[in-house]
Amino acid sequence: KLGIVKQEAVVSTQSTGALKQIQMALAMESQMEIIKSINYKCFERCIYKPSSSALGNSERQCIAKCMDRFQDGLKVVNQTIMQRSRQEAEAMQNSAGLSR
């Protein structure tokens, strides 16, 4: 029986490790999509005449402000999601405590 318990522990540890790797890969994919979106939207908004020369000062400032606004928006969204998740978890805990 001890061998079976050890095997189950190893499988459980491996599953947890695989799950963490999948979560990290999904997080990286999400970050890459956000970066692509920022690049596309800020380029479209700030670069009127693409050329081979360096960006002008106004274009650089526009891109910097655009990226800042986008990141600020993401912070608000993430904070809202976290707040709602906490509220839902609390509600579930409260309802579980009341139903007993």
Side-chain angles (χ1 to χ4, degrees):
K1 284 187 176 181
L2 189 58
I4 293 172
V5 171
K6 285 183 181 180
Q7 282 181 325
E8 289 176 358
V10 169
V11 169
S12 177
T13 302
Q14 289 173 343
S15 296
T16 302
L19 182 59
K20 285 183 182 181
Q21 286 179 338
I22 291 169
Q23 288 172 335
M24 286 175 41
L26 289 172
M28 289 292 290
E29 177 81 21
S30 176
Q31 291 295 323
M32 293 302 292
E33 288 300 316
I34 289 169
I35 290 168
K36 283 183 195 177
S37 182
I38 289 173
N39 286 340
Y40 176 78
K41 290 178 189 248
C42 293
F43 183 87
E44 290 293 315
R45 185 173 292 157
C46 299
I47 310 299
Y48 301 108
K49 295 180 182 179
S51 68
S52 60
S53 62
L55 294 175
N57 198 32
S58 63
E59 292 171 321
R60 284 188 207 149
Q61 288 177 352
C62 179
I63 290 172
K65 287 179 183 178
C66 177
M67 292 174 71
D68 287 343
R69 275 188 250 122
F70 204 93
Q71 289 174 343
D72 289 343
L74 285 173
K75 285 179 188 175
V76 170
V77 169
N78 287 334
Q79 288 170 350
T80 302
I81 289 170
M82 293 300 292
Q83 181 180 6
R84 287 185 183 170
S85 293
R86 273 190 242 111
Q87 289 171 345
E88 288 176 9
E90 288 174 7
M92 288 175 63
Q93 286 177 347
N94 290 339
S95 67
L98 293 176
S99 64
R100 288 184 184 175

